[in-house]
Amino acid sequence: MPLSPEQIQRLARLARVAVSPEESSAVREQLNRVLKLIDELRAVDTTGIEPMSHPVAELIPAGQRLRDDEVTESDCHAEYQSVAPAVERGLYLVPKVIE
Amino acid sequence: MLNSTLCELSAALERRAISSVELTRLFLDRVERLNGALNAFITVDAQRSLGEAHAADQVRAAGGAGPLTGIPVAHKDIFCTRGMLTTCGSKMLADFVSPYDAHVIERFASAGAVLLGKTNMDEFAMGSSSESSFFGPVRNPWDRARVPGGSSGGSAAAVAARLAPAATGTDTGGSIRQPAAFTGVCGLKPTYGVVSRYGMVAFASSLDQGGPMAKTAQDLALLMNVMGGHDARDSTSLARDAEDYTRELQTPLAGLRIGLPREYFGTGCAPHVLARVREAIAWFESQGAKLIDLALPNSGLALAAYYVIAPAEASSNLSRFDGVRYGHRARAYGDLADMYCRTRAEGFGAEVKRRILIGTYVLSHGYYDAYYLQAQKVRRLIARDFAAAFARCDVIMGPTAPSTAFPLGANADDPVQMYLNDIYTIPAPLSGLPALSIPCGFDGAGLPIGLQLTGSHFAEARLLGAAHRYQQATDWHLRVPAETPL
């Protein structure tokens, strides 16, 4: 089922990626090509097949072990915040959310 | 020295025929001379490299050298390197200097290897041509009008043109093996969970796996001895004993059961590619290997399943790029949502946006079951095909890619045409299996062709052994592009 221009705008909103009106028709045309490819899956009979979310489940059926719940990291916030676009007094700055 | 294997370089360093500083300078000079034409590297820091080389020479003088001490290695720009740019080929991270090292970077550093530079790639590893990089396309050293494959195209081109003796790459749907095939080098995607993904920028977390690229299978084994192994910081890293990946290099081929899936030898593959692949397989048969016809009946669905699963995981993983904690932030914006939307519209290229939108769609309410869950069920069918096949054979062989390297821009308007490059490489990562590409000849235009060997889980050493035997009898892997003579 091809995507409509309205669906493209809705997806762009959900994904938080602006798609400009100029880009919209090219994006739609290319996404519809990809959809045509993945639509092949819909006809496959998968009755009784468990979804495979991860190859690890096949490799260690018991699942991954959890590590002990203890502090392993030291405080690196100054270093990590040194690459942030806007920081003040150890806080990340974003536009005002609550009036 | 430029065309030497890692073993040969290691021996030369050990007998003091050359120092690491001299060797590093040799490759840095070549990068400086040829990188303008190939665009294989995004970042080179000669001073840093030479400093590491000097330190390696001191370690050797003190008697503490290992097999890779003092050998320059290039890293795909997806591995975080402390104090150095890590861009992932994206405007989003064009100025990102990582505050920490990836596990793979740490392992090479503690093995004494010299970091030669960071290689160019498709943006966020999404692509099969290395054209989608914010830093411009990589060019194929065998023909600069053609692509080197992708997404690890910079690493592949660097090894092919002998700008680096070895490099790292990452493979989600073929991103190590397809560029290896297109440039005439060797590349291994290990079993899922064997190489830690700590500090490796995430694309599709149930598929992504780092691996080595080099001139020979033996070199890949040496690199795997450094890269592989458990890391508690990656929850998908498997807790297994350390392996020696060189242990099967001398194993004879007699009795090796080679599976030939009929789906890999069909009309979708260029005849000259199939011809060279069949010749290579005939050589294995002449050495006593047994050929077994088999079927992977669901492999034709792998591309469709992959293009649901990988974009779904990408849309989730790439939500971290929000312009708040690191990376690009739009200059002008209104409220918070507008900041996100503009930041991401400016920071991501067209293919990355496409995959985020597809991923958002297949995970959205009303479509999740029909696409995402269905793709995961098909994924299991594909994995079951392999399990059945490996009950009958030890290694599956076929072409790595359905064609040789294509011209730049050839697939620019049709993403699905681009995706078709990965039809033979996608099934292995969907199943978590190891797979390897090695050169097995050239087409009429002089472009390299890759033979793919796929094994069962943890069969890397077996694959490397079979490939090594082949490389003892052939010299495809030692040919050097005429455009970048030694």
Side-chain angles (χ1 to χ4, degrees), chain A residues 1 3 7-8 10-19 23 27 29-35 37-46 48-60 64-65 67 73 79-87 92-97, chain B residues 82 96-97 99 191-192 206 235-239 300-301 303-305 307-308 323-327 329 333-336 339-341 344-345 353-354 356-358 360-362 367 370-371 373-381 383-384 413-416 419 430 432 457-458:
Chain A
M1 222 175 0
L3 294 170
Q7 275 176 302
I8 296 288
R10 180 169 171 273
L11 283 178
R13 226 172 17 253
L14 282 174
R16 299 288 188 266
V17 180
V19 174
E23 294 174 294
V27 168
E29 195 252 335
Q30 299 198 321
L31 288 189
N32 281 330
R33 284 178 195 241
V34 181
L35 278 190
L37 165 74
I38 65 180
D39 268 337
E40 279 174 32
L41 295 175
R42 305 186 78 148
V44 183
D45 180 6
T46 53
I49 306 293
E50 276 293 297
M52 178 176 164
S53 61
H54 223 266
V56 168
E58 318 297 302
L59 300 175
I60 29 169
Q64 284 291 75
R65 289 173 309 177
R67 70 168 177 84
E73 298 291 316
E79 199 177 3
Y80 292 167
Q81 288 192 327
S82 69
V83 291
V87 180
Y92 293 99
L93 296 189
V94 295
K96 199 169 182 180
V97 180
Chain B
R82 188 185 173 94
F96 177 67
V97 176
T191 305
Y192 183 81
S206 79
S235 65
T236 64
S237 168
L238 299 173
L301 297 167
L303 195 66
Y307 277 100
V308 171
V324 175
R325 289 156 301 159
Y326 40 73
R329 177 187 284 198
Y333 46 81
D335 63 6
L336 184 63
M339 187 190 88
Y340 292 150
C341 289
R344 290 159 63 80
K353 282 183 207 167
R354 218 152 33 226
I356 289 173
L357 292 171
I358 289 285
T360 303
Y361 179 65
V362 300
Y367 299 96
Y371 286 113
L373 218 53
Q374 175 72 347
Q376 289 188 321
K377 291 175 183 175
V378 170
R379 182 176 188 176
R380 185 173 300 281
L381 293 177
R384 280 185 184 172
D413 299 328
D414 187 351
V416 174
Y419 299 168
L430 281 175
H457 296 122
F458 311 117

